[in-house]
Amino acid sequence: DSQYGTYVWPCAVVLAQYLWVHRESLPGKQVLEVGSGVSLPGVLAAKCGAEVVLSDSEELPRCLQSCRRTCLANRLPHLPVLGLTWGRVSPELLALPPVDIILGSDVFFDPKDFEDILTTVYFLLEKNPQAQFWTTYQVRSADWSMEALLCKWKLKSSLVPLHSFSADKEHLAGSSLPGRHTVEMMIISLAQSDGT
């Protein structure tokens, strides 16, 4: 639903908190945000000195327009906004400059998209072996797991405890939506050739 990209979800706030805590490491870094929507993490990274490219699905022009509006509202009209659809190799994906960090907040929303997301992340990490994918997601179902897909795509993940960057506060990781929504953060990178 293209409207999903028009809200600031709790995952975006948590990822932005992680970027803020690590802001001194961002100047000069090449950052790509995927599934940007309102683009809070990417815009914050740009404000902290990173070279940022924002992206969302080329099939969701409303989300791409949301990215552009956020850039204008934050006096960042120069930030590139690209249509990149997960799981699809496009000329825009192939033409991306090298990246150090890939950002994705709440991109693991629908299990049918998990493999497409990880396919795209794997492609980017293969081109940029030292890069990392910093992602936050809401645990919506105990039945959902990415472990098999991470293994299939030769990726590894490490959980980042929210308390380690002061994001475990209700006003950051909380949601006014009904039900309990647990936000998690992980860093995904290429698995080493020794199987780790």
Side-chain angles (χ1 to χ4, degrees), residues 3-135:
Q3 289 193 352
Y4 292 157
T6 61
Y7 299 102
V8 177
W9 297 95
C11 288
V13 177
V14 171
L15 187 54
Q17 173 72 9
Y18 187 80
L19 290 162
W20 181 249
V21 167
H22 294 89
R23 64 190 175 275
E24 291 180 8
S25 69
L26 293 174
K29 293 283 192 221
Q30 302 296 315
V31 174
L32 169 68
E33 185 177 6
V34 296
S36 297
V38 180
S39 314
L40 174 62
V43 164
L44 179 63
K47 290 280 191 177
C48 290
E51 298 294 323
V52 176
V53 174
L54 302 174
S55 71
D56 214 311
S57 174
E58 60 192 335
E59 297 168 359
L60 299 174
R62 190 171 176 182
C63 288
L64 293 169
Q65 189 56 37
S66 181
C67 292
R68 291 183 186 100
R69 276 195 305 272
T70 300
C71 291
L72 291 175
N74 286 280
R75 296 182 183 92
L76 297 167
H78 64 282
L79 282 191
V81 176
L82 300 178
L84 296 178
T85 301
W86 302 325
R88 185 179 302 160
V89 177
S90 64
E92 291 79 11
L93 182 67
L94 294 171
L96 279 173
V99 296
D100 299 305
I101 302 166
I102 305 159
L103 301 174
S105 66
D106 219 358
V107 295
F108 294 108
F109 177 83
D110 189 339
K112 73 175 179 52
D113 295 327
F114 288 8
E115 184 152 27
D116 286 342
I117 295 163
L118 290 176
T119 300
T120 300
V121 167
Y122 176 78
F123 176 83
L124 292 166
L125 293 177
E126 273 285 300
K127 283 181 64 174
N128 305 277
Q130 302 308 313
Q132 295 180 329
F133 178 37
W134 297 357
T135 184

Side-chain angles (χ1 to χ4, degrees), residues 165-187:
F165 57 101
S166 301
D168 56 341
K169 313 296 185 258
E170 188 66 28
H171 71 281
L172 287 177
S175 171
S176 60
L177 299 172
R180 185 76 190 129
H181 301 275
T182 303
V183 175
E184 301 283 345
M185 178 169 178
M186 68 178 160
I187 295 177

